[in-house]
Amino acid sequence: MPVIAWGPTAFIVDRVEAVEAPAFTSGRAVFRTSTPVVMKASGQGSSGVRTTRQAWCLPGEPEWDVYVEGNLRRKAETLGLGRDVTLEGVSWVGPKRSFAVGSASGPGGKKPGACVEVAVSGPPAVLSALHSWGLGQANSAGMGWINA
């Protein structure tokens, strides 16, 4: 497509080049996102009872590490690469940002997130795939994209 229309902006495409993901031969990677990571947690209060269905959580909040690691494992498994990936830690968290989201078929809302830098470990093929896919949820909507 020579022109991509994105809202009121038109982008003229001169060429497209595929960018290969790094090899991650050491089995460790540091991913820093260029867009905020969106994660949904259980919505359970301190009593263990679910109190909300829109339980967005941010890095450093309870459940975030567990839900991000589970998300990474599901992505690897979906690609047929097993589930062997571990979130080793979070080394940087950017400011919280909320994004208005919606669709032509229904009401919109807001999703909160923050850019992050995380250390992960796993097989090189899994890390390369995750580098291309992104962190957290809503990657196809532009959330959690990893810097190339």
Side-chain angles (χ1 to χ4, degrees):
M1 224 182 214
V3 177
I4 298 174
W6 187 6
T9 305
F11 294 95
I12 297 171
V13 180
D14 290 330
R15 70 174 185 225
V16 175
E17 289 183 39
V19 177
E20 294 294 323
F24 300 111
T25 56
S26 69
R28 284 190 45 82
V30 175
F31 296 147
R32 187 173 186 131
T33 63
S34 58
T35 58
V37 174
V38 173
M39 280 309 313
K40 200 179 241 190
S42 69
Q44 294 178 350
S46 57
S47 64
V49 176
R50 188 173 189 170
T51 59
T52 180
R53 295 185 62 78
Q54 295 299 318
W56 302 108
C57 64
L58 297 167
E61 292 181 354
E63 300 185 316
W64 192 86
D65 291 5
V66 172
Y67 278 87
V68 167
E69 187 172 79
N71 177 270
L72 296 175
R73 289 179 176 168
R74 277 190 304 281
K75 287 175 179 175
E77 188 174 45
T78 297
L79 296 171
L81 299 172
R83 294 178 52 85
D84 186 20
V85 62
T86 303
L87 175 66
E88 300 290 340
V90 179
S91 54
W92 174 81
V93 179
K96 175 186 171 184
R97 296 176 58 196
S98 290
F99 290 87
V101 294
S103 68
S105 62
K110 289 195 178 233
K111 288 184 180 180
C115 292
V116 295
E117 183 175 271
V118 299
V120 294
S121 61
V126 170
L127 299 178
S128 290
L130 293 173
H131 181 274
S132 296
W133 193 328
L135 297 179
Q137 299 170 315
N139 302 128
S140 63
M143 306 294 185
W145 289 359
I146 296 171
N147 290 335

